[in-house]
Amino acid sequence: MRAVGFSRGLWLSLMVLAGAGLAVIPTRGDDKTPTSLEAPALVGDLTRVTSWRGNTYAASGTGLAQLRNDREWLHYRDMPGRISAIAGGTHSLAVGGSGFLWVMPGKKKIPPALIEISGTWVALSAKDSGWVAVSQEGGLVVFSETGVEFRHQFEEGFRPNDVAEIWNQWWVVGQKRGQSHILTATSPAGPWTEAQTGGKAPAMRVVGFDRFIVVFGADGSAFRAVEGEAWEPCRGFEALTNEPPVSVFASPQEGFVALTPDGLVQSRDGHNWVRLAYQDDPYGSRALLHGDLGTVLISQSWTEAGLVLRREPVTPYATFLLAQAFANGEGVPLDPKRALELYRKAAVAGVHRAQVDLAFLIASGQVPAAQTSEASAWYLLLCGEEGLACEPEEAFRRIEALALKGRAEAQGILAVMLRLGFGTKPNSIEATAWTQIAEEQRANLYALDWYADVDDKPEEAKVRADALRAKISRAGATAHPAPVSGTGD
C-alpha cells in the first residue's frame, strides 16, 4: 500500500515524547515547508483505534493511518465509506464500514483486499485465518483477503451491535424491537439459538476470557455469566455508570477494563467493579487500546499545533509492561530510572512480576541511586515475610533460612541473589543448585526467568543440590510450593 501525502498547503511532521506517551502532529505550514515524511491527514475525531503487530492503527471518518513504532505515520488509505470497525487479529488486520470490508494480511506478498458489500459493518472478530463481521442490517459474513466465504442473514428486525467468540461459541448481541436480543452458535454457519441474560435494553457489547463473559446494555446495565452457571446482573458496574462502555477489553492479566462516559472501571471477574484512577488531562478520551503494552487510554485534542494524541497505562499490569519496555529499551529509549518508577507503582498495586523485576533492577545495580534496602524488602515480601527494609546481608540470611525450610519462592530468590552477589558473594554453582531445587517444586518460577538458560558447571551443581536436599531433609522441612502469583501475573 502506497503512502499518500497531504493535500496542497498542508504538511505533517511527528514528534514523540516517549516518556510522556505524547504524539504531537503539527498541521500548519505552507507550500515551501520541506518535509521528508509523507503521512495521512486524519480529519475530525478519532473514531476507532487498534493495535496490531506492534503498530497502532487509527481511523477517523474514512481515513486509516498506521503509526509505526510510535515514530512515523505511514500506509495511509482513504476508505470508500465511513469506518465503523477496526481490529487486529493473529493473521491480519480488518476494517469494516459503510458498504465495504477491508483486510490486510500479515504476509507482505499478499496485497490488501477491498470487498465492496452492502451494509454498515459495525463489529469484527477474528476467525482462523479470516474474520467474522456483522452489520446493522442483520447480516453476517465470514471473509478473508480472498473475499467473502460465507453469508448469513439473521431474522428480520434483528440489529446486531457486536460479535465475539467466547467459550468456543460465537455470540452476536444486539436488539430486536428495541430490546436485548442475543444469539449463540458453535459456528458462524449456525444454527443460532437465543440466549437470555435477563437484560431488557439493547445489548451493545459482549466480551469474555477464561470462564467469564459479560454483556453490556444500552442503559448501562451489565450481565455476567460464569461458564456453566446462570446469568446474573453486575450491580457493581451499574453503580458506577448508567451508560454502556465506549471501549472494553478482557484478558486474564487485567480482567475486564471498560472506558465509560463516566470514567474508567475494572473488574477481575466481571462482577465486582472498581473505578480506576488515572491522571487527569485536558484531552478528550476516545478509546482504549489493548496491545503489547496492555490496556492504555487513548486521548486526543485539537490545538493550534494540530492533533495531539496521548497514551496512558490504565491498569497496574499495563504499568508493569511499560516499565519492562523502559527497562529493556523496547520501543522506547532505555531508561532504568523511569522503569524503576513504573515498576514501583505496579509493585505497590500488587503485580507479582513487577515486584520481582523491581527487586532485580535495584539488586543488579542498574539504578545506582536506588536504595539496596528496598530490594531487600521486596525479596522478603516475595518470600511471604514482612517486607521491612534491611541490609542485603540480613535479607540473604533470612531468605536462606526459609529456603532450607523448603520454601520454593525463597529457594528461587536465593538463587537469584547468589547469581547477583546481592547480600553475599557471587556463587554460580550454588545458584544453579538452588535453581534445580526450586524448579522441582514449581518449574515456572518467574524470579528465575532472568537465568533460564544459565547452567554453570552442571555436574558440580548437581552434587551440591543433592547435599542441599539432604540438609533440607535432615531439618525435617516439608515442601512448600510457590504460592499463586498476585495481581496481574
Side-chain angles (χ1 to χ4, degrees):
M1 184 164 54
R2 184 174 58 88
V4 179
F6 259 65
S7 59
R8 183 176 177 85
L10 293 176
W11 65 279
L12 180 70
S13 64
L14 177 67
M15 177 178 67
V16 174
L17 304 178
L22 188 69
V24 183
I25 311 171
T27 57
R28 289 194 174 190
D30 54 47
D31 294 344
K32 297 180 180 180
T33 305
T35 176
S36 59
L37 177 64
E38 291 186 320
L42 290 180
V43 180
D45 291 337
L46 296 180
T47 55
R48 295 289 184 272
V49 62
T50 194
S51 177
W52 184 56
R53 298 199 168 183
N55 300 316
T56 299
Y57 292 82
S60 171
T62 63
L64 174 69
Q66 174 191 352
L67 178 60
R68 186 175 66 180
N69 300 325
D70 285 349
R71 287 176 174 82
E72 57 178 334
W73 289 98
L74 67 161
H75 292 330
Y76 172 65
R77 187 181 182 98
D78 191 30
M79 295 293 174
R82 185 172 180 81
I83 296 171
S84 52
I86 176 173
T90 304
H91 302 286
S92 59
L93 175 79
V95 176
S98 300
F100 76 94
L101 294 165
W102 184 83
V103 57
M104 183 170 71
K107 296 181 179 179
K108 294 182 179 180
K109 294 182 179 180
I110 303 177
L114 176 65
I115 304 169
E116 295 183 350
I117 183 171
S118 61
T120 301
W121 300 92
V122 294
L124 302 159
S125 184
K127 178 186 183 298
D128 302 327
S129 58
W131 291 86
V132 175
V134 292
S135 71
Q136 288 183 340
E137 295 77 16
L140 177 147
V141 297
V142 178
F143 70 100
S144 66
E145 69 274 6
T146 60
V148 173
E149 300 171 3
F150 173 79
R151 293 177 185 244
H152 176 74
Q153 185 66 37
F154 292 111
E155 57 189 288
E156 185 178 354
F158 178 43
R159 180 176 176 176
N161 290 319
D162 199 10
V163 58
E165 185 181 21
I166 306 168
W167 301 344
N168 295 319
Q169 280 188 298
W170 284 92
W171 297 77
V172 177
V173 304
Q175 57 187 300
K176 186 177 180 181
R177 301 185 185 93
Q179 293 193 327
S180 174
H181 195 70
I182 301 171
L183 298 175
T184 67
T186 56
S187 165
W192 292 88
T193 58
E194 187 174 350
Q196 298 287 347
T197 65
K200 298 299 183 184
M204 304 302 293
R205 297 296 305 273
V206 56
V207 292
F209 72 94
D210 291 347
R211 300 173 56 238
F212 306 110
I213 182 172
V214 176
V215 173
F216 298 90
D219 59 351
S221 61
F223 291 83
R224 182 199 78 153
V226 179
E227 189 171 14
E229 299 180 13
W231 289 88
E232 58 181 337
C234 303
R235 302 301 184 194
F237 182 84
E238 296 172 19
L240 297 174
T241 182
N242 59 3
E243 296 189 58
V246 177
S247 299
V248 60
F249 287 101
S251 68
Q253 295 81 9
E254 296 176 297
F256 296 86
V257 183
L259 172 63
T260 76
D262 298 309
L264 282 160
V265 294
Q266 181 184 27
S267 172
R268 295 298 304 173
D269 59 4
H271 187 65
N272 301 297
W273 293 80
V274 296
R275 193 174 300 282
L276 286 172
Y278 61 98
Q279 183 179 342
D280 293 331
D281 60 68
Y283 308 106
S285 300
R286 293 295 168 186
L288 293 177
L289 177 67
H290 186 80
D292 296 338
L293 293 181
T295 303
V296 299
L297 178 66
I298 300 294
S299 306
Q300 74 162 39
S301 69
W302 287 93
T303 69
E304 291 186 359
L307 176 64
V308 178
L309 301 182
R310 187 176 187 276
R311 297 185 182 192
E312 180 185 350
V314 295
T315 67
Y317 187 75
T319 302
F320 157 69
L321 293 176
L322 185 58
Q324 274 196 327
F326 279 109
N328 300 319
E330 296 176 350
V332 295
L334 182 66
D335 190 341
K337 289 184 179 179
R338 178 67 173 141
L340 179 72
E341 296 170 1
L342 293 166
Y343 273 140
R344 188 178 285 140
K345 183 177 179 181
V348 170
V351 180
H352 174 81
R353 295 170 66 183
Q355 295 168 354
V356 172
D357 285 0
L358 173 61
F360 179 87
L361 191 73
I362 299 171
S364 59
Q366 295 182 54
V367 186
Q371 297 292 322
T372 55
S373 57
E374 182 180 359
S376 299
W378 282 113
Y379 276 144
L380 286 167
L381 187 66
L382 287 164
C383 294
E385 297 291 290
E386 291 185 1
L388 299 176
C390 63
E391 292 302 315
E393 290 76 15
E394 180 184 346
F396 180 84
R397 288 193 295 271
R398 291 173 62 182
I399 292 171
E400 184 180 36
L402 292 171
L404 290 169
K405 291 179 181 180
R407 298 277 285 272
E409 194 79 32
Q411 292 166 350
I413 290 172
L414 187 68
V416 174
M417 296 176 77
L418 284 160
R419 190 78 62 183
L420 291 172
F422 186 71
T424 186
K425 292 181 179 180
N427 189 328
S428 61
I429 294 176
E430 190 86 355
T432 301
W434 277 114
T435 297
Q436 293 175 5
I437 295 172
E439 288 181 340
E440 290 169 2
Q441 295 200 62
R442 184 186 176 194
N444 188 28
L445 193 62
Y446 180 71
L448 297 173
D449 284 355
W450 295 95
Y451 301 109
D453 299 325
V454 176
D455 193 11
D456 292 332
K457 299 182 178 179
E459 293 303 321
E460 294 182 36
K462 183 177 182 301
V463 172
R464 179 56 183 158
D466 289 339
L468 288 171
R469 290 188 193 94
K471 190 174 182 179
I472 293 170
S473 178
R474 286 195 300 271
T478 56
H480 295 277
V484 175
S485 302
T487 303
D489 189 30

